[in-house]
Amino acid sequence: MSAVRLSFVVPTRNQARFIRRCLDSCIAQGIAGGEILVQDGLSIDGTQEILASYGQRIDWVSERDAGQADAVNKAVARARGEVIAWVNSDDYYPDPACVGAALAELERPPEADLVYGDGLVVSAGGTPIRPYRNRTFATVRDLLVAPIGPSQPATFFRRRLFLEVGGLRTDLHYGLDYELWLRMFPRARRIRRLERPLACMTFHADAKSTRAMLPQIREVRRFKAEHARANGLGLVDRLRVTTGIGAMYAYWLAVRTGLRKAT
């Protein structure tokens, strides 16, 4: 095993109001042989001053990037850990033992390449809104026909696997994590699911999934179609994929017209 056991990868830009909560939750995990890597996209809201206040506890870089995917790819490239914990700066870990539990599950013989768990959607202030319960995804087909994939901050994977599949696609901006899973799952030696919350995902007005819901749906529709063709999905499964996308459009329309509140 490498000298550094796990690398927290934290992409950020102008999220000073959230980033301390995120970093403190990473530090609280107390992972022996862990490192915290922050990739900042030239924030101008005081983020850099907050990062500097952590001294040697974190390793941060502030430089121009081509978006979130590029930022994560850059951070993973400089990571020394065998395992990657990718957590966006507005998200955080719910308790000091959750990452250790995921790491233990990865290392339990026979070793796995990817572990994911449940999550919790919270308000900007940390008030619980609803649980995010993942289903069991055994194949790419399971991922494709599902409305959404595993929660990104509640998913932990081998750095080697990330590099083998080519990292995140920089032409994607909304469903980039979901598309990554579609390439990672088939290449993983083993995948395990933990039925416990492993991450808190913050719902707020500036989140990409909130302010750009329609572009997100269009992007997901595009890459799901690409992967459905590449994996030779049959007619019934293609219809299920289309139905799932239709449900996403219906949700967007209900939020847009005020029939329901986005959550």
Side-chain angles (χ1 to χ4, degrees), residues 173-186:
H173 302 286
Y174 306 104
L176 59 164
D177 53 333
Y178 195 171
E179 196 279 334
L180 177 66
W181 310 150
L182 287 168
R183 287 180 285 124
M184 271 188 165
F185 272 58

Side-chain angles (χ1 to χ4, degrees), residues 35-194:
E35 64 177 0
I36 302 172
L37 306 177
V38 181
Q39 192 77 26
D40 174 54
L42 297 178
S43 293
I44 57 173
D45 66 342
T47 291
Q48 293 174 36
E49 288 76 10
I50 294 172
L51 296 176
S53 74
Y54 281 85
Q56 298 301 310
R57 290 181 293 173
I58 67 171
D59 178 346
W60 63 281
V61 172
S62 187
E63 61 187 13
R64 190 178 305 280
D65 58 54
Q68 185 183 13
D70 186 39
V72 173
N73 286 345
K74 285 182 174 182
V76 174
R78 62 189 178 93
R80 295 176 297 149
E82 183 181 345
V83 176
I84 300 297
W86 164 21
V87 55
N88 296 330
S89 55
D90 54 352
D91 299 330
Y92 62 99
Y93 297 112
D95 66 77
C98 62
V99 175
L103 198 55
E105 195 65 20
L106 275 168
E107 295 172 345
R108 176 171 62 84
E111 290 188 347
D113 283 338
L114 189 149
V115 166
Y116 67 97
D118 296 333
L120 184 66
V121 179
V122 301
S123 69
T127 302
I129 297 174
R130 61 176 174 86
Y132 186 112
R133 292 194 177 92
N134 278 305
R135 62 182 70 188
T136 297
F137 299 102
T139 64
V140 174
R141 173 189 169 277
D142 294 338
L143 281 170
L144 283 169
V145 301
I148 52 178
S151 162
Q152 169 254 306
T155 303
F156 303 81
F157 50 84
R158 305 273 177 193
R159 179 176 182 269
R160 169 191 53 76
L161 180 62
F162 180 91
L163 297 177
E164 280 180 3
V165 302
L168 289 163
R169 279 176 46 175
T170 55
D171 63 317
L172 301 178
H173 302 286
Y174 306 104
L176 59 164
D177 53 333
Y178 195 171
E179 196 279 334
L180 177 66
W181 310 150
L182 287 168
R183 287 180 285 124
M184 271 188 165
F185 272 58
R187 298 286 293 269
R189 291 174 301 175
R190 291 171 195 85
I191 298 166
R192 296 194 178 114
R193 176 192 173 199
L194 276 178

Side-chain angles (χ1 to χ4, degrees), residues 10 15-29 50 54 87-94 120-128 200-204:
V10 186
Q15 291 201 326
R17 64 176 174 145
F18 296 121
I19 194 165
R20 193 177 293 278
R21 182 175 67 180
C22 175
L23 295 177
D24 287 348
S25 77
C26 294
I27 292 170
Q29 301 303 310
I50 294 172
Y54 281 85
V87 55
N88 296 330
S89 55
D90 54 352
D91 299 330
Y92 62 99
Y93 297 112
L120 184 66
V121 179
V122 301
S123 69
T127 302
C200 292
M201 294 89 73
T202 304
F203 177 83
H204 58 96

